[in-house]
Amino acid sequence: MNAPHALPPPGTVTAATAAFAANVLEGLAQPQKRISSAWLYDRRGSELFEEITHLPEYYPTRTEISLLEAHVDDMARPVGPGAVVVEIGSGSSRKTPLLLRALAAPHAYVPLDLAEEFLWESARTLAREFSGLRIAPLLADFTQPFALPDDLQAPERPRLGFFPGSTIGNLSPAGAIAFLRLMAGALGADALMLIGTDCTRDPAALLPAYDDTRGVTAAFNLNLLARINRELGADFALAGFRHEARYRADLGRIEMHLVSRRPQRVRLCGRHFDFAAGETIHTENSYKYSRDDFCALAHAAGWLAEGSWSDRQQRFCIHRLRLSPRARSYPRASLRSPMHPAGA
Ligand SMILES: C[S@@+](CC[C@H](N)C(=O)[O-])C[C@H]1O[C@@H](n2cnc3c(N)ncnc32)[C@H](O)[C@@H]1O
């Protein structure tokens, strides 16, 4: 077993570390051990995710980029000049320039993510290309209420939410509805959203996308244990676990797990957690939605689907949603995110 890493000295535990510890301790105490996928993205995790997006098996990124390249003018057509663009789970912001170039004189870009280093670096990179654009990064949890900076709340400015990467699939369907209601509150009346969803239900395409031959997805998943060791002082032996991707046709989702290779005990924050051989930690869900199912889900949250763009094989879809007038009574968010652990 590895020697435990030192915990940060008392008084230096940040709100983010406390939220991380709370989520991990709570999740490992469940009969099916689980940790929210939001914690997969420390610096190393974000780098590994970028590597995944370039793998031949990982069709979602290249399909979504092709859809944007082919149709972004249509997607962006109803957005007026001077828009405020809010990108959720912005990561490397690699797809953002395609959208910003299609908009008429966008006023501001608000990337929102929990991965702090990537958030600032991507903002700096974009600032070099879009020199007149106000860029206001928001370090926040998208499952919690958040508010735009005061000066970007002027109701006359068009507001466009951008949520690519099929990250919405990491939330349960009920969580996705709750998220879309939060977005209604944060963006306000007449808002539009562009959301990328993975529509694939073919295990022959899905399983390699989440378990590639080079082992990059495995390294991404196992990095979560390295992060828990480093940031929370746990003693996970990384060689004692392996990555597994499962397709749950009954639930329409891919699951990622870390499987214990043998019986073992892990110590964390003064507690211990026992693992039987074969027992797993469930680390990610990725729900796959047909076009109609996603439009129905959006509708349940008060958003009307007014356009959807898909590839020929119908593997991926980008939806344009408009906040329906009846949804405008959702309260406008006035809180900054308290860095709360993300719900699965
Ligand atoms: C699947 S990656 C997508 C990245 C990028 N948007 C793309 O399309 O390739 C998910 C991104 O969402 C961020 N993220 C995940 N859960 C989050 C949460 N609860 N709040 C804020 N950001 C979150 C991650 O840090 C990561 O950058």
Side-chain angles (χ1 to χ4, degrees):
M1 193 164 288
N2 294 347
H5 297 239
L7 274 173
T12 63
V13 177
T14 63
T17 308
F20 184 28
N23 183 262
V24 174
L25 288 169
E26 199 253 342
L28 292 183
Q30 302 305 312
Q32 167 60 70
K33 294 178 171 62
R34 58 175 159 77
I35 298 173
S36 165
S37 58
W39 304 110
L40 289 165
Y41 298 88
D42 62 350
R43 171 154 203 119
R44 182 71 190 131
S46 299
E47 287 168 356
L48 285 165
F49 178 74
E50 271 310 293
E51 216 176 311
I52 290 170
T53 65
H54 289 94
L55 291 170
E57 293 99 327
Y58 198 76
Y59 61 86
T61 301
R62 64 171 177 277
T63 312
E64 189 174 36
I65 288 177
S66 303
L67 286 173
L68 283 167
E69 284 170 345
H71 304 293
V72 73
D73 289 339
D74 283 345
M75 294 173 188
R77 185 154 293 127
V79 184
V84 174
V85 180
V86 182
E87 181 169 352
I88 304 299
S90 47
S92 67
S93 295
R94 187 167 139 213
K95 297 157 190 162
T96 320
L98 290 167
L99 176 61
L100 291 175
R101 283 184 215 123
L103 294 170
H107 173 68
Y109 170 61
V110 182
L112 182 153
D113 207 295
L114 275 176
E116 187 166 8
E117 287 175 64
F118 252 52
L119 183 66
W120 296 112
E121 277 168 29
S122 319
R124 274 194 294 271
T125 306
L126 274 178
R128 282 194 282 276
E129 182 179 353
F130 299 92
S131 50
L133 184 71
R134 160 121 196 261
I135 300 185
L138 208 49
L139 180 65
D141 177 347
F142 61 61
T143 67
Q144 300 299 311
F146 69 91
L148 298 178
D150 288 347
D151 61 311
L152 297 183
Q153 295 210 9
E156 66 278 7
R157 284 211 177 280
R159 277 171 306 276
L160 174 66
F162 183 41
F163 197 17
S166 67
T167 308
I168 196 162
N170 295 150
L171 302 169
S172 65
I177 291 174
F179 162 79
L180 287 170
R181 287 184 175 149
L182 278 183
M183 288 305 291
L187 297 179
D190 298 320
L192 292 166
M193 280 199 81
L194 290 174
I195 303 188
T197 59
D198 190 351
C199 321
T200 309
R201 292 249 166 141
D202 175 9
L206 282 169
L207 287 167
Y210 288 85
D211 195 4
D212 60 280
T213 51
R214 282 183 44 208
V216 185
T217 317
F220 171 65
N221 200 7
L222 282 160
N223 176 63
L224 179 61
L225 302 184
R227 180 182 190 184
I228 297 172
N229 283 349
R230 192 181 62 249
E231 295 186 19
L232 305 180
D235 64 353
F236 276 104
L238 269 58
F241 290 83
R242 64 175 176 80
H243 164 72
E244 190 172 291
R246 299 176 182 171
Y247 180 53
R248 293 284 306 268
D250 54 333
L251 298 171
R253 73 186 192 201
I254 279 275
E255 296 179 357
M256 291 205 321
H257 290 258
L258 289 165
V259 186
S260 178
R261 293 181 185 273
R262 49 180 161 77
Q264 54 187 318
R265 171 168 286 188
V266 173
R267 289 173 191 77
L268 168 63
C269 300
R271 289 169 59 181
H272 66 259
F273 298 93
D274 289 323
F275 289 79
E279 189 177 354
T280 75
I281 311 174
H282 183 179
T283 54
E284 189 182 86
N285 286 324
S286 190
Y287 281 85
K288 312 300 169 187
Y289 292 106
S290 71
R291 179 193 299 233
D292 288 351
D293 284 351
F294 186 76
C295 292
L297 181 147
H299 195 251
W303 293 82
L304 303 175
E306 55 175 34
S308 298
W309 292 263
S310 192
D311 56 301
R312 211 165 340 120
Q313 289 172 284
Q314 310 249 311
R315 282 190 164 179
F316 202 92
C317 200
I318 300 179
H319 305 268
R320 187 174 69 226
L321 308 181
R322 184 181 289 278
L323 191 55
S324 84
R326 74 170 168 81
R328 286 177 193 164
S329 55
Y330 290 129
R332 187 129 180 177
S334 59
L335 296 173
R336 281 195 179 267
S337 165
M339 302 282 288
H340 193 271

